[in-house]
Amino acid sequence: MFDTIIIGGGPAGYLAAERLGHEKKKVLLIERQHLGGTCLNVGCIPTKTLLNSAKQYVHAKEADKFGIKISDVSFDWPAIQNWKAEVITKLRSGIEGQMKHLGVEVVNGKGEIISPPFGEKPASVRAISPNGESSEHKSKTILVCTGSIPVMPPIPGAKDNPKIVDSTALLSIANVPKKLSIIGGGVIGIEFAGLFSALGCQVTVIEMMNEIVPFMDNEQAPILRRAMKGIDFKLGCKVEKIDGTDVHYTTKDGKSEKLEANLILMAVGRRPVLDNWGAATAGLDVRNTGVAVDDRMRTNIPGIWAAGDVTGRSLLAHTAYRMGEVAVADILAALGSAADKTNRMRYNAIPWAVYGITEAAGVGITEQEAANKGIVILKASLPMKISGRFAAENTFSGVGAVKVIADASNRRILGIHAVGAYAPEFIWGGAALIEQEMRIEDVKQLIFPHPTVCELIRDVTWTITNNK
């Protein structure tokens, strides 16, 4: 009998298996496709690998601005795809090796809860292999990490249209299209827009909202959009139907227009996988948004936890990692092991990032969220071009800004938002400032390395003070 059976081997699942393995627990990890889940195989990692190749191409074309002469710059899409595959294989092999090293048993197949644990009676979970073979396993506890899948909205003409792809399919296309239409201006749409535009594709983004990446700060999103030169943005537009590769949409002024392309990316978001793993059988509280959990990742059924995208709380790989760790701490306590019982999920300081030729990241609340909550704020923003490192490593056409938001009543940092190079790399520091409830005066006393772009956070806090 196992201590824990984990259904799903994505970020939440495999990290939880790793942590439990370190604690010498007997763990079974059931994954229907590949370890690493969406993030490693058809999400975060392959997308960033392709984006890095695109960045290398752009940097090579702009090298003369930095005194470097490179002639006949071109890209090889099949070679870029091969590099992507090599990166995925290497990282996937690393996870497989770690599972073996820690004694985690891995089964390739679909996991399905037959019965939940009840008192001293263990849970039963069925694993169905790709060839249909079935095996049943007993466990004291269960952790559900079934992840999410792309949403395909019911737009007329979208169903079974071979010219429409989701993010998974777009990662493996044979050739770069001449014209790409992207429906959805969120993170996925914006990252792919930047990638293919950099490689010479004519890209148009159709977004229903009045700005891209709607959760971004309302002063920062326009900076990111303006930095994405060469991309045509149709904002405030509603897609009415799709005819082959023609997208028919209505503008914010009520005009009907048509957009022609070679390929269409549907990038309107993702939804938790809530079916075909036994949620109803187990009696779990499942809502449209995901499996309901508390701040310890416990479900409504004792002995069953859920973590990652399946909860619908925050569909980010790094959130899934943390959820997996929190669930493990509570599972260990339930199994009678010494564990940190203060471990719980906190959602107020989860960073997000948008990767592209121009990057963006943020953590905490935006200015508009503060207004909606009735919080009086102090704020300031500085352009990235005043940073010595940014100026040295980017052309002066490079754009970006760092913004800090603080509570006017107690001067605590509430939000940090950045557009420009390296933003995803230093935003963790903003999360730490918010987690520790640091004030403007506290940040001003910190010593940042120089020259770095991240020291703009400190500079902005001084700007807030000087403007008070």
Side-chain angles (χ1 to χ4, degrees):
M1 183 170 66
F2 293 94
D3 291 308
T4 305
I5 292 178
I6 302 173
I7 302 176
Y14 81 74
L15 190 71
E18 180 180 325
R19 298 288 188 262
L20 288 165
H22 274 296
E23 297 297 324
K24 309 300 182 184
K25 298 303 178 183
K26 189 175 182 182
V27 181
L28 172 64
L29 177 60
I30 305 173
E31 167 55 46
R32 65 187 309 166
Q33 292 182 312
H34 301 291
L35 288 179
T38 294
C39 177
L40 172 53
N41 297 285
V42 292
C44 321
I45 302 304
T47 306
K48 278 57 181 178
T49 305
L50 296 180
L51 274 165
N52 181 64
S53 293
K55 286 182 180 180
Q56 299 297 333
Y57 177 58
V58 170
H59 292 333
K61 290 197 299 181
E62 296 181 344
D64 62 323
K65 296 179 181 178
F66 300 93
I68 307 299
K69 301 298 181 182
I70 302 176
S71 59
D72 300 323
V73 178
S74 62
F75 68 87
D76 183 337
W77 182 250
I80 291 173
Q81 288 283 8
N82 288 338
W83 170 241
K84 179 199 75 176
E86 183 179 336
V87 170
I88 293 171
T89 299
K90 183 189 303 181
L91 293 175
R92 189 191 296 160
S93 297
I95 296 173
E96 292 169 352
Q98 187 74 336
M99 295 301 103
K100 184 176 181 179
H101 172 70
L102 294 169
V104 175
E105 185 174 335
V106 178
V107 171
N108 178 219
K110 180 172 78 76
E112 183 180 287
I113 300 173
I114 300 173
S115 62
F118 184 76
E120 297 298 319
K121 183 181 178 180
S124 293
V125 176
R126 180 185 295 116
I128 305 173
S129 69
N131 61 14
E133 294 181 1
S134 178
S135 58
E136 189 173 328
H137 308 272
K138 302 292 184 181
S139 178
K140 299 174 184 176
T141 60
I142 296 173
L143 175 59
V144 178
C145 306
T146 52
S148 64
I149 56 175
V151 171
M152 188 63 71
I155 298 173
K159 187 176 181 180
D160 299 324
N161 186 333
K163 294 298 183 179
I164 298 177
V165 296
D166 59 18
S167 57
T168 298
L170 189 60
L171 285 168
S172 299
I173 57 176
N175 301 289
V176 175
K178 290 183 178 180
K179 292 183 179 180
L180 175 66
S181 294
I182 298 177
I183 300 175
V187 174
I188 295 172
I190 292 304
E191 290 188 352
F192 277 114
L195 165 64
F196 286 101
S197 176
L199 298 178
C201 177
Q202 183 179 328
V203 178
T204 302
V205 176
I206 305 174
E207 168 56 46
M208 184 180 293
M209 305 298 286
N210 291 325
E211 189 53 89
I212 63 171
V213 196
F215 60 79
M216 282 186 70
D217 185 86
N218 55 13
E219 291 183 341
Q220 294 263 302
I223 297 174
L224 175 61
R225 175 170 46 81
R226 289 193 294 268
M228 301 179 71
K229 303 182 187 301
I231 298 174
D232 188 11
F233 292 97
K234 307 289 186 183
L235 303 178
C237 296
K238 180 183 178 182
V239 175
E240 301 294 348
K241 67 176 182 177
I242 299 173
D243 182 10
T245 56
D246 293 342
V247 180
H248 297 261
Y249 63 94
T250 303
T251 68
K252 63 176 65 177
D253 299 324
K255 297 179 180 179
S256 296
E257 297 188 0
K258 182 179 72 172
L259 179 65
E260 299 176 352
N262 304 112
L263 193 66
I264 300 169
L265 168 64
M266 193 69 73
V268 296
R270 300 179 65 85
R271 64 175 179 84
V273 175
L274 303 173
D275 302 320
N276 301 316
W277 51 263
T281 301
L284 291 175
D285 181 3
V286 176
R287 305 167 187 181
N288 290 335
T289 53
V291 176
V293 292
D294 66 8
D295 61 358
R296 302 297 204 282
M297 312 317 298
R298 304 164 182 155
T299 69
N300 62 304
I301 302 300
I304 301 182
W305 289 256
D309 287 6
V310 71
T311 68
R313 294 298 301 271
S314 172
L315 276 62
L316 298 168
H318 46 277
T319 304
Y321 282 140
R322 180 59 185 152
M323 285 179 168
E325 291 175 336
V326 170
V328 165
D330 205 57
I331 289 170
L332 288 173
L335 293 172
S337 301
D340 181 3
K341 295 183 179 180
T342 65
N343 236 323
R344 61 182 180 84
M345 277 303 298
R346 298 183 296 278
Y347 296 95
N348 66 313
I350 296 176
W352 56 265
V354 178
Y355 301 85
I357 306 306
T358 298
E359 299 177 334
V363 63
I365 67 173
T366 61
E367 184 174 347
Q368 59 266 33
E369 287 172 333
N372 291 337
K373 293 178 179 180
I375 302 173
V376 179
I377 64 168
L378 301 172
K379 66 168 186 173
S381 180
L382 288 174
M384 279 197 176
K385 65 183 180 182
I386 70 172
S387 159
R389 185 179 181 191
F390 186 88
E393 298 184 3
N394 295 269
T395 64
F396 284 101
S397 61
V399 298
V402 174
K403 179 176 181 178
V404 175
I405 296 169
D407 190 322
S409 65
N410 54 29
R411 303 177 69 79
R412 286 179 181 168
I413 305 297
L414 298 179
I416 295 179
H417 307 277
V419 174
Y422 324 114
E425 293 299 324
F426 66 71
I427 199 61
W428 71 270
L433 300 181
I434 294 173
E435 281 275 11
Q436 296 301 312
E437 299 183 342
M438 297 188 76
R439 301 168 303 130
I440 293 171
E441 287 71 24
D442 299 323
V443 179
K444 285 167 58 178
Q445 295 180 37
L446 297 177
I447 299 175
F448 287 73
H450 177 81
T452 58
V453 177
C454 69
E455 63 185 321
L456 282 172
I457 294 175
R458 182 174 182 270
D459 293 339
V460 175
T461 62
W462 276 98
T463 300
I464 292 176
T465 302
N466 293 337
N467 290 342
K468 70 177 181 178

